Amino acid sequence: MELVASSLFDLVSDVIRDTKGIGGWLSIAPDSSVGLFIPEILLCGTILAMLVLRLFRLGEKLDMFYVALIGVGAALLVLSPWRLSENAELFARRELFTGLLVYDGFSVFIRGLLLGFGVLFLVFAKISGIPSRYDSADIYTLVLGATLGLCIMSAANHLLVVFMGVEMASVPSYALAGMQKRDRKASEAALKFAVYGAGAAGIMLYGISLLAGLFHTVHLPTLAAQISTMLPQMETPELMVAALAGLMIMAGLAYKLSAFPFHYWIPDVFEGAPAEVGAFLSIASKAAALALLVRVVVGMGTLPDSSETAARDSVVARARQDNPATPADLLAQAPPAQSTMYVRHDEEHAAAETEDHPREDHATPGESDSATSATTDGLETARTFMAKLIALIAIVTCTFGNLAAYGQKNIKRMLAYSTIAHAGFMMMAVPALLAVADSHPQVAASAVSGIAIYLVIYLFMNLGAFAIVAFLRNEMGSEQIDDYAGLLKCCPGITLCFVVILFSLIGLPPLAGFIAKFAVLASVADAFRLSGHPYLMGVLVVGVLNTAISLIYYLRVARVMTMLPEPESRVPISLPLFSVAGWYVLAMTIPVAFLIVNWGSLHRTATAAVAHLLGS
Amino acid sequence: MSNLLGSDLNHVYACWLSLLVFLPVLGTLILLVIPSRAVDAIRYVTFAVTAVVFLLTLLAFFSSGSALSFAYEGEAARYMQAAFHIPWIPSFDIYYAMGVDGISLPLVVLTGLVSLLAMGASWSITKHVKGYCILFLLLETGMLGVFLALDFFLFYVFWEVMLLPMYFLIGVWGGPRREYAAIKFFIYTLVGSVLMLVAILMLYFASDLTKLTPEQLARAHVLDTVTGEDGRPVLDGPWRVPQGEAAAAALQKQVESATAALMSQIEAGERSRHTFSLLALAELGQHTDAFSPSLQWWAFLLLFIGFAIKVPSVPVHTWLPDAHVEAPTPISMILAGVLLKMGGYGILRICYPICPHGGFDLAWFICLIGVVSMIYGAYAALAQKDFKRLVAYSSVSHMGYVVLGLGVWSATAGTFYNADYWNMGVKGAMFQMIAHGISSAGMFFMVGVVYDRVHHRNLSEFGGLFGKMPVYTALAIGIFFAGLGLPGLCGFIGEVLVVLSVWNYSQVLAILSAAVVILTAGYILWTLQRVYLGTEYRGPHEEALVPINPREFTIAATLFVLAIALGVFPYQTVLKYMDPTIDRQTQSLADWTQRVKESAKLDESDGGKQAETKEIKVVGTPDHAGRESAEPTSAAAVTTKRNWPSEELSTAGRYGAPASGGG
């Protein structure tokens, strides 16, 4: 790639050409990066508009909600992710701004999800009335700013942009967590959040700088190419540094994902911050963090540009010969080459995927030795180890989240652990993706589409749950599970919606949560069959058993609401289904309840979104 | 109706079975608009809906000559009828596919009947009647769907759908420890079903439609509708067998062209080669190498655990006594009458046909589970002090017969692959399921009747009910005798068929299972003595012991009459409808044993014993071969050669033979 730009002038002219395209100065050329970056620019414009409008007297009277809504809605319209299923070719992979960002179906899907969530979130905040009239501009600015960062995270193609996106998303989140002024718990949560976040970001930045020093680049595709050529020649100390760098970056990602050893901030923040912020952090933040994990794994693990591999064809050929046959597994009948399904992959692509690189960043010293001696085979071992590491994190995160949720008395704290568990469940698709990324890219892509489907369904489930928690808080001033006793009597509609959402969070058919889990588990099962790695079976079994484990704490809430008698001391609650809040809850519940009738289009859209992710 | 028939049978069947399954859901929509205070209106509407559903399940019997008639003899009766498949989630190969055959039809009718009677028994429910009725109807949809689904995904969805209503029906309307019982039921079943999900995914991704022959694809109802000359889909229903040579050839051609179309779709990537179709998976499991023996073994085990929890078999039965004791009477009737049968149905419909390797290898294990359940359940019943708990444990014991009968894979080399005994066992198990559905629902209802009056179930505080409630006692004694397995009543037939079939498989197990009848007689007679006989009632609320009212009488008498009818006319009432299907399935599995298991054994022994085998081949006639060492193997070699094309022959015969069934 343009690794060694000859002079600063070339670099600048590259940036200009790339940014504005070949057309004139004033028009936005179709091949310019700006044209594909308009949604983010609109978000920036909205933020500015909200800040500036307050300076004027007329603007002071204006409810900033409408400004924010129009801005996010316009961004969503420009992005138009619904075109994904119509023509996937429109969303072929393109690098923006000389490779800092990437535009492809997956980024459109995730950004569409984030902006769609933005619209729903604004409406939710408006209904629940948590930002008062005077600080609404602040809150919406922070939300939009964080959304902007999340959008950049999901499209990152460069580790510096990864860092920038994470920070852009995190800093407004810290402020959001503490948005209830004079609330000690909220302030404590915000402080914890900021301190943990700053620590994680620092570690991640250090990891990035180590990688940059070792491989002279942090542009992900170039980095993958550099790793593939430089890693075999590396000495043990250098490998140690590379492994350390990878672990540090992983720590930063795990923090955003709230994966197991880095999850401590989530329960405190969720409990301290208002439910609205919890909804934002648990949905938007998770979606972008997962997208980022996929980006980093795919970006550093595969070579999207086929021209780069041409020089190494001989190596590839040798590696292919050496490549042992699919290990005999339980399923023991990997059909030969899946010929019909993957005919579209020409030899070049197959080569690109076979010449595959582990994210050596997680190679341990022990593995590094083998990597030094062997070429692709050694890397394949390291890569399997990588998948195993993420599989382990996913398993532990999911199980831990579900077990820790048992004892919670506060509904938001319980939902926090539920968020951890769901993040772990979604991460289970990543080892499946890694295990077959080289041999069966279509299956690997289906693992990502499983994550995408999960995220969409998760959005409705969690937004519905947090909305109900927020509306109930407004009515009864409590977020303790025990205080929900007998809610069926006083507001049956909302209670039924909550029960549906809770059962969907468990993953029981016919509710949408089952589809989400099914999509992820199916990709794991397929990857297991094709690769024969026993740890994938472990992931599968732990995944389904976690469904049974999670039953108890979700069911406890349902039980308290429907089976326990109403406490006599409670003030009368009125939260009818036929009110604005009720309609909102209903709007979240209906997709959860009836998606099973036809989720084919969601599956098709998600499949189209990931079609170009793995270099096809 | 005739207009509909002309158009497209696929859609006619889709409408009929969908209406049957989803009518209760439509009923809930009616209930939603009725105000909660109109309790009686809600009850009558629910009752009417269950009645209509029951009539619909019977439609198959009374609509002879039409598309909806159920063929119970001839070729058509051996296969799935009224089957349809409509793309549901095409990108995941999920179809909305249902159908009915001799295995599912009796269970569907039983579901309709028990639901109707349980709804009749629900007048005793006075708390939140509207919610109760809505959940009741949702439950009925789930149960019907499980028995009719032909797509594994759809099956799983229905299987789980009934968990939620059941949880709330026990948890809200149950007894003092209802919440504990409800969550225990939920967790047990969910653990079983998530294990099932693993097996589903393993089987799905291992499946490969391209390995099936056109005939197998047609049998599995995977092909898009093949239409005959008159525009009717020839593969469905009574028209499946064409008349005459020319029609058979034409059909053959059509099947092949439809197969070619399917294969080109798969080639083009428009459709994946994997399938969720239960029938296609069964064809793959029995006729191809798509599922390796170890995969089948594991899938069988996972599926069996899921179903055994539902049956329930020892040692995963402990949810049942709690759930039964706490559940209200009508829900106990549903639970014992229908829900337990789903386990047996799943084993018969899914475990054995799809994973024969697992079934063959684990046959002893399955039988042992069955016998242990029978003995343990009977002993546990003897020890109970609670009337309802006793009946619950009797269910564990009785359902053990079902597992035993299904598991008796006696078609081995030792019996020259004679499927007759196993066939008898499976039929006995099926009959036992129907009979137990009637007798256990009746027993729970009888317990409920007396509980409604005196509000206790303590066995030591009854006595003398005969004098106070003579009609009730007579009916109760009849129904309990049916549960006991008295000849002439429904419980006898299933038990005797199962025990007879086991004799051929293992004499030890047969003796043990026959001996259980003594224990059963022990606890049932002792119960009858403690509750109904004697001179005086020893418990509280003696004044409440009034004779049963007409509603209760109708329900009890219906069950009692059915218990007699099934006992006296087992063939005409039940066996007639299920015989052909079960015959085909066991015969197919027996052929599979001979083809796959024994040829594999032969391959192993071929190495060292070449000469010996050759010699025995000459002398090895069926007369010589007993249960001893090498001879069965050699006999296998001979018969294998001879019977290898039997499958093809029978397939070809299907197209050639004239239809004796419907049409």
Side-chain angles (χ1 to χ4, degrees):
Chain A
M1 307 286 298
E2 293 83 8
L3 182 64
V4 276
S6 54
S7 70
L8 188 65
F9 176 77
D10 287 352
L11 199 63
V12 170
S13 67
D14 270 1
V15 172
I16 292 174
R17 196 187 59 228
D18 203 45
T19 305
K20 79 173 181 61
I22 302 170
W25 271 105
L26 289 175
S27 61
I28 298 172
D31 61 336
S32 70
S33 295
V34 173
L36 299 173
F37 199 62
I38 289 178
E40 280 82 356
I41 294 172
L42 279 172
L43 280 184
C44 292
T46 314
I47 294 172
L48 280 180
M50 283 196 292
L51 291 177
V52 171
L53 276 176
R54 301 165 89 190
L55 300 178
F56 305 102
R57 194 174 299 157
L58 193 68
E60 258 183 350
K61 288 181 188 156
L62 190 66
D63 190 346
M64 288 302 163
F65 164 75
Y66 297 105
V67 179
L69 192 66
I70 289 169
V72 179
L76 187 61
L77 275 179
V78 171
L79 188 70
S80 48
W82 42 85
R83 284 184 303 154
L84 266 172
S85 56
E86 291 165 15
N87 187 1
E89 295 310 312
L90 278 177
F91 300 93
R93 184 187 161 87
R94 256 177 287 177
E95 292 200 333
L96 305 186
F97 301 115
T98 59
L100 288 179
L101 293 177
V102 66
Y103 175 88
D104 60 4
F106 189 57
S107 83
V108 171
F109 189 93
I110 298 292
R111 283 149 75 210
L113 186 77
L114 291 170
L115 293 174
F117 172 75
V119 170
L120 293 173
F121 178 80
L122 288 172
V123 176
F124 167 36
K126 174 77 181 165
I127 296 172
S128 83
I130 195 71
S132 63
R133 179 121 189 156
Y134 296 103
D135 58 5
S136 69
D138 299 338
I139 305 291
Y140 294 138
T141 308
L142 291 172
V143 167
L144 261 59
T147 308
L148 180 63
L150 297 172
C151 287
I152 288 176
M153 272 164 78
S154 66
N157 196 35
H158 194 284
L159 285 179
L160 269 185
V161 175
V162 169
F163 177 75
M164 203 181 75
V166 167
E167 283 305 289
M168 280 178 72
S170 295
V171 173
S173 308
Y174 305 150
L176 276 175
M179 83 190 204
Q180 277 175 324
K181 294 161 199 154
R182 287 184 289 281
D183 181 333
R184 290 184 64 90
K185 260 196 162 162
S187 306
E188 187 195 328
L191 187 65
K192 268 187 186 167
F193 192 13
V195 170
Y196 273 114
I203 291 174
M204 187 156 117
L205 191 59
Y206 190 42
I208 293 171
S209 69
L210 287 180
L211 271 194
L214 279 176
F215 297 106
H216 317 302
T217 180
V218 279
H219 174 235
L220 285 172
T222 321
L223 185 62
Q226 289 284 93
I227 290 170
S228 75
T229 52
M230 292 175 66
L231 195 69
Q233 285 94 45
M234 278 189 166
E235 300 295 325
T236 310
E238 282 180 307
L239 283 171
M240 295 277 285
V241 173
L244 190 66
L247 280 176
M248 284 175 157
I249 293 174
M250 190 63 199
L253 291 178
Y255 167 79
K256 284 308 282 182
L257 273 168
S258 70
F260 170 62
F262 307 102
H263 65 273
Y264 291 106
W265 58 277
I266 279 241
D268 292 337
V269 170
F270 276 38
E271 191 180 357
E276 289 79 357
V277 178
F280 185 83
L281 291 179
S282 81
I283 300 164
S285 199
K286 281 292 149 322
L290 269 162
L292 186 61
L293 180 69
V294 171
R295 280 267 176 245
V296 172
V297 165
V298 170
M300 290 169 70
T302 58
L303 295 175
D305 194 5
S306 52
S307 63
E308 287 174 75
T309 59
R312 286 188 299 278
D313 268 354
S314 57
V315 181
V316 172
R318 200 176 66 237
R320 279 191 143 185
Q321 283 164 7
D322 296 347
N323 213 15
T326 317
D329 57 79
L330 273 182
L331 308 171
Q333 53 257 304
Q338 290 279 310
S339 51
T340 53
M341 285 178 71
Y342 308 122
V343 278
R344 277 183 286 156
H345 287 267
D346 53 4
E347 190 60 27
E348 214 167 40
H349 279 137
E353 279 127 15
T354 314
E355 170 63 74
D356 197 56
H357 305 288
R359 300 175 49 209
E360 49 56 63
D361 37 65
H362 293 273
T364 58
E367 288 210 337
S368 312
D369 294 337
S370 67
T372 345
S373 55
T375 54
T376 325
D377 284 335
L379 300 181
E380 180 63 38
T381 317
R383 176 198 178 86
T384 306
F385 172 75
M386 249 302 302
K388 276 181 186 164
L389 182 71
I390 295 186
L392 185 70
I393 294 178
I395 284 174
V396 174
T397 305
C398 188
T399 314
F400 173 84
N402 279 330
L403 290 178
Y406 269 49
Q408 304 309 325
K409 294 190 165 61
N410 182 301
I411 184 86
K412 283 191 305 189
R413 216 175 160 81
M414 192 207 88
L415 285 174
Y417 283 109
S418 136
T419 297
I420 294 174
H422 280 277
F425 205 101
M426 286 185 251
M427 279 171 75
M428 287 178 179
V430 177
L433 157 74
L434 278 170
V436 291
D438 56 343
S439 54
H440 300 86
Q442 292 281 323
V443 177
S446 83
V448 185
S449 81
I451 295 179
I453 291 172
Y454 204 124
L455 284 173
V456 171
I457 293 167
Y458 183 69
L459 184 158
F460 286 103
M461 295 192 298
N462 251 25
L463 193 53
F466 276 106
I468 292 170
V469 169
F471 297 149
L472 285 175
R473 173 206 62 204
N474 287 352
E475 285 298 321
M476 54 198 264
S478 168
E479 286 163 345
Q480 298 301 310
I481 295 174
D482 289 343
D483 290 342
Y484 287 180
L487 275 185
L488 187 63
K489 283 267 176 54
C490 58
C491 34
I494 297 287
T495 308
L496 283 182
C497 289
F498 203 11
V499 168
V500 167
I501 286 170
L502 287 169
F503 280 118
S504 178
L505 283 167
I506 298 170
L508 285 179
L511 304 171
F514 170 67
I515 300 164
K517 295 204 165 179
F518 181 80
V520 167
L521 291 173
S523 67
V524 176
D526 203 10
F528 167 67
R529 178 183 64 100
L530 294 170
S531 68
H533 295 310
Y535 65 86
L536 287 176
M537 194 57 184
V539 169
L540 188 61
V541 170
V542 172
V544 298
L545 287 181
N546 262 299
T547 303
I549 297 175
S550 69
L551 171 75
I552 297 175
Y553 64 89
Y554 290 121
L555 209 53
R556 190 161 58 97
V557 182
R559 184 187 74 99
V560 166
M561 292 193 303
T562 56
M563 295 180 191
L564 294 191
E566 209 173 359
E568 287 176 10
S569 58
R570 189 161 66 197
V571 290
I573 299 171
S574 98
L575 191 53
L577 205 52
F578 297 103
S579 63
V580 182
W583 289 332
Y584 188 82
V585 170
L586 208 56
M588 294 299 112
T589 311
I590 284 173
V592 170
F594 296 108
L595 187 67
I596 189 88
V597 175
N598 187 1
W599 51 284
S601 53
L602 174 63
H603 184 247
R604 271 197 307 278
T605 311
T607 308
V610 299
H612 300 288
L613 191 66
L614 284 124
S616 52
Chain B
M1 189 63 86
S2 59
N3 284 344
L4 278 173
L5 287 185
S7 59
D8 187 350
L9 268 187
N10 202 33
H11 289 114
V12 175
Y13 292 143
C15 291
W16 178 41
L17 293 182
S18 303
L19 181 69
L20 181 59
V21 170
F22 290 106
L23 191 67
V25 174
L26 297 180
T28 63
L29 296 182
I30 303 174
L31 290 185
L32 280 177
V33 297
I34 304 179
S36 310
R37 275 161 292 121
V39 172
D40 268 334
I42 290 172
R43 282 178 182 148
Y44 279 114
V45 167
T46 316
F47 187 78
V49 171
T50 52
V52 172
V53 170
F54 179 54
L55 290 180
L56 275 179
T57 64
L58 291 180
L59 193 64
F61 300 99
F62 299 117
S63 57
S64 59
S66 83
L68 307 183
S69 66
F70 182 82
Y72 55 85
E73 52 189 9
E75 272 299 303
R78 291 156 62 83
Y79 296 92
M80 196 55 74
Q81 302 180 44
F84 68 88
H85 67 285
I86 295 171
W88 180 15
I89 314 293
S91 50
F92 234 111
D93 318 301
I94 296 169
Y95 283 80
Y96 177 63
M98 294 202 264
V100 62
D101 69 356
I103 297 172
S104 49
L105 182 71
L107 290 167
V108 169
V109 176
L110 178 75
T111 308
L113 175 72
V114 173
S115 297
L116 177 66
L117 295 178
M119 192 54 225
S122 296
W123 256 253
S124 57
I125 303 285
T126 50
K127 188 169 117 188
H128 309 310
V129 175
K130 187 169 170 179
Y132 174 87
C133 289
I134 288 175
L135 290 170
F136 188 95
L137 289 178
L138 291 179
L139 180 68
E140 188 174 16
T141 286
M143 296 187 298
L144 289 168
V146 165
F147 290 131
L148 290 172
L150 287 185
D151 185 280
F152 219 156
F153 186 88
L154 185 65
F155 176 88
Y156 188 78
V157 168
F158 279 126
W159 180 269
E160 300 268 86
V161 158
M162 82 221 168
L163 283 182
L164 292 182
M166 204 59 183
Y167 170 74
F168 286 108
L169 284 169
I170 298 174
V172 176
W173 287 271
R177 289 167 68 243
R178 56 182 179 253
E179 288 168 20
Y180 167 78
I183 201 161
K184 195 170 177 181
F185 160 79
F186 208 148
I187 290 174
Y188 266 77
T189 321
L190 191 64
V191 168
S193 55
V194 295
L195 294 178
M196 201 196 308
L197 184 61
V198 174
I200 292 175
L201 289 172
M202 283 161 63
L203 291 171
Y204 169 73
F205 283 113
S207 63
D208 186 350
L209 284 177
T210 56
K211 292 188 175 179
L212 291 176
T213 65
E215 283 77 16
Q216 288 162 352
L217 287 170
R219 267 202 306 252
H221 294 276
V222 175
L223 297 177
D224 288 332
T225 315
V226 181
T227 46
E229 288 167 6
D230 51 356
R232 289 166 170 169
V234 272
L235 287 168
D236 291 322
W239 291 280
R240 80 165 48 245
V241 186
Q243 311 277 349
E245 295 272 326
L251 172 61
Q252 186 79 20
K253 202 176 255 174
Q254 276 201 332
V255 167
E256 272 160 17
S257 70
T259 308
L262 176 72
M263 293 303 154
S264 66
Q265 273 182 349
I266 292 177
E267 285 293 318
E270 291 164 16
R271 203 186 146 156
S272 95
R273 58 187 61 216
H274 305 315
T275 179
F276 276 112
S277 160
L278 285 175
L279 299 176
L281 289 174
E283 298 285 345
L284 282 165
Q286 291 175 37
H287 299 293
T288 71
D289 58 350
F291 305 147
S292 68
S294 63
L295 167 65
Q296 292 196 11
W297 202 90
W298 279 106
F300 184 93
L301 196 65
L302 290 172
L303 291 168
F304 182 77
I305 292 172
F307 294 132
I309 289 174
K310 204 75 170 181
V311 165
S313 294
V314 176
V316 284
H317 66 285
T318 56
W319 64 268
L320 180 89
D322 288 318
H324 267 315
V325 169
E326 301 307 325
T329 302
I331 301 309
S332 281
M333 291 169 71
I334 296 260
L335 202 55
V338 182
L339 250 67
L340 307 190
K341 277 72 207 173
M342 290 180 184
Y345 173 78
I347 294 172
L348 183 57
R349 166 77 76 217
I350 293 172
C351 281
Y352 279 97
I354 297 180
C355 314
H357 272 289
F360 185 84
D361 292 348
L362 292 169
W364 248 98
F365 172 71
I366 307 294
C367 292
L368 200 65
I369 292 258
V371 172
V372 168
S373 299
M374 287 156 63
I375 297 172
Y376 181 90
Y379 270 116
L382 270 174
Q384 296 310 317
K385 295 188 172 66
D386 183 309
F387 200 176
K388 214 169 174 186
R389 217 174 170 83
L390 178 137
V391 180
Y393 273 109
S394 85
S395 280
V396 175
S397 177
H398 283 133
M399 290 306 284
Y401 283 99
V402 174
V403 175
L404 179 63
L406 295 177
V408 186
W409 194 311
S410 53
T412 55
T415 56
F416 299 102
Y417 309 103
N418 185 338
D420 288 354
Y421 293 105
W422 188 25
N423 199 3
M424 188 198 273
V426 175
K427 282 176 191 165
M430 270 299 293
F431 194 93
Q432 176 76 352
M433 284 208 268
I434 306 296
H436 181 254
I438 287 168
S439 68
S440 71
M443 287 196 277
F444 278 115
F445 180 69
M446 288 314 189
V447 176
V449 166
V450 66
Y451 180 77
D452 283 345
R453 284 165 175 66
V454 298
H455 301 290
H456 79 88
R457 293 185 299 261
N458 195 344
L459 276 172
S460 59
E461 293 186 350
F462 284 118
L465 260 55
F466 211 152
K468 298 184 191 302
M469 305 167 69
V471 180
Y472 160 75
T473 304
L475 290 170
I477 288 178
I479 287 174
F480 275 88
F481 275 158
L484 163 66
L486 205 67
L489 294 169
C490 62
F492 175 71
I493 312 290
E495 290 176 18
V496 81
L497 285 178
V498 169
V499 172
L500 283 179
S501 74
V502 178
W503 179 261
N504 197 261
Y505 179 75
S506 157
Q507 296 178 354
V508 177
L509 290 183
I511 290 166
L512 284 174
S513 56
V516 171
V517 177
I518 301 168
L519 293 175
T520 312
Y523 66 77
I524 293 227
L525 293 175
W526 193 27
T527 306
L528 292 180
Q529 182 199 341
R530 282 185 290 177
V531 175
Y532 299 107
L533 306 182
T535 49
E536 58 169 347
Y537 175 74
R538 291 185 295 273
H541 303 297
E542 188 174 353
E543 72 288 348
L545 286 169
V546 290
I548 56 173
N549 61 35
R551 180 179 59 82
E552 291 166 335
F553 174 79
T554 314
I555 295 168
T558 311
L559 289 167
F560 181 58
V561 169
L562 279 170
I564 296 173
L566 262 64
V568 177
F569 303 106
Y571 180 77
Q572 289 84 343
T573 49
V574 179
L575 289 174
K576 182 167 87 169
Y577 301 99
M578 60 170 90
D579 269 358
T581 315
I582 295 177
D583 284 345
R584 178 191 54 78
Q585 177 158 329
T586 43
Q587 187 56 50
S588 168
L589 285 171
D591 292 344
W592 172 89
T593 323
Q594 186 171 10
R595 211 166 55 230
V596 178
K597 275 291 167 187
E598 299 306 324
S599 68
K601 212 182 270 177
L602 202 67
D603 287 342
E604 282 169 24
S605 61
D606 252 0
K609 299 177 182 171
Q610 195 71 37
E612 191 189 345
T613 322
K614 205 178 246 175
E615 191 185 338
I616 297 168
K617 253 183 199 168
V618 182
V619 289
T621 62
D623 299 324
H624 280 73
R627 296 195 180 83
E628 283 87 24
S629 56
E631 280 172 344
T633 323
S634 67
V638 178
T639 42
T640 308
K641 289 273 153 47
R642 199 173 60 233
N643 288 345
W644 182 253
S646 67
E647 193 63 37
E648 279 87 329
L649 276 177
S650 69
T651 333
R654 272 181 47 223
Y655 298 122
S660 47

